[in-house]
């Protein structure tokens, strides 16, 4: 079956397809048709879940099948939860990943407590109706300088302690195995796989 993905972020799309290419190879992930010309909805939610649900419901009206959207970001304890839902535009509209990373480092200058977590919520909808929402979290630590050239967003600053490396220093497969988005997406794919599998009674003719 095909799931339609409401993202224009190529990094996210790569991760979604990588996750589906393993044990859920029967599930194809494609962008919502014409996504680049669909006016985006206003992201006014105060939580990742609110934004993910609103986007999934909105874009599902333009797609020929079940559609998912994610809202994700970085939560830093010492900054009161910032950047949070503003992670993608932390340094302002049109900000690049480097802009956001530099602002984060500036605001953490001199702060020793740098615990943080990535949070992702993926919502699934069809024909304007919410089907489910799935959350993933990964705990880490913000470094004082970026390391690594893989990944995107805040990955070069986010140290994952069990690996002893940032999420920009590991392979896409290593990142997906532990990342917030990987966890949320696996929960979504397992849910969809269960929905699309015939029940034992149906298989046995009963």
């Amino acid at each position: 079956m095909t799931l339609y993905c409401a993202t224009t972020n190529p990094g996210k799309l790569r991760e979604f397809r990588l996750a589906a290419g393993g044990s859920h190879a029967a599930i194809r992930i494609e962008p919502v048709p014409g996504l680049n010309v669909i006016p985006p909805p206003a992201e006014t939610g105060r939580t990742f879940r609110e934004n993910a649900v609103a986007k999934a419901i909105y874009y599902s009206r333009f797609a020929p099948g079940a559609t998912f959207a994610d809202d994700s970001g970085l939560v830093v304890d010492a900054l009161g939860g910032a950047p949070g839902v503003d992670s993608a535009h932390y340094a302002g509209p049109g900000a690049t990943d480097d802009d956001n990373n530099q602002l984060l480092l500036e605001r953490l200058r001199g702060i020793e407590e740098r615990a943080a977590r990535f949070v992702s919520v993926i919502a699934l909808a069809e024909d304007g109706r919410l089907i489910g929402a799935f959350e993933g979290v990964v705990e880490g630590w913000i470094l004082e300088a970026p390391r690594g050239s893989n990944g995107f967003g805040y990955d070069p600053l986010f140290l994952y302690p069990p690996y002893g490396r940032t999420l920009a220093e590991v392979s896409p497969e290593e990142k997906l195995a532990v990342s917030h988005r990987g966890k949320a997406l696996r929960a979504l794919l397992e849910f969809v796989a269960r929905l699309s599998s015939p029940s034992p009674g149906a298989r046995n003719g009963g």
Side-chain angles (χ1 to χ4, degrees), residues 6 8 32-43 54-55 57-62:
T8 57
V32 172
L35 182 62
N36 60 334
V37 298
I38 298 172
E43 295 187 34
K55 287 189 287 186
I57 289 173
Y58 174 81
Y59 284 112
S60 72
R61 298 187 175 102
F62 298 91

Side-chain angles (χ1 to χ4, degrees), residues 12-148:
K12 288 185 179 183
L13 185 59
R14 281 195 302 272
E15 291 187 358
F16 292 144
R17 284 176 162 166
L18 179 62
S23 57
H24 297 285
I27 300 174
R28 296 177 56 217
I29 293 179
E30 298 292 341
V32 172
L35 182 62
N36 60 334
V37 298
I38 298 172
E43 295 187 34
T44 57
R46 301 182 63 182
T47 67
F48 296 114
R49 179 185 170 87
E50 288 176 1
N51 283 330
V53 168
K55 287 189 287 186
I57 289 173
Y58 174 81
Y59 284 112
S60 72
R61 298 187 175 102
F62 298 91
T67 302
F68 70 90
D70 94 302
D71 198 57
S72 55
L74 181 68
V75 175
V76 181
D77 292 342
L79 298 179
V85 294
D86 297 318
S87 291
H89 309 290
Y90 191 40
T96 65
D97 288 349
D98 286 343
D99 294 335
N100 290 332
N101 285 332
Q102 286 305 312
L103 180 59
L104 179 65
L105 291 176
E106 288 173 15
R107 293 188 173 170
L108 284 174
R109 186 176 292 123
I111 297 177
E112 294 184 3
E113 175 52 52
R114 304 167 80 92
R117 65 202 52 82
F118 275 127
V119 179
S120 175
V121 176
I122 296 178
L124 179 70
E126 188 166 11
D127 294 327
R129 180 179 63 88
L130 179 68
I131 299 172
F134 312 87
E135 180 173 325
V137 178
V138 58
E139 300 283 344
W141 190 265
I142 303 300
L143 298 179
E144 295 183 357
R147 286 178 10 197

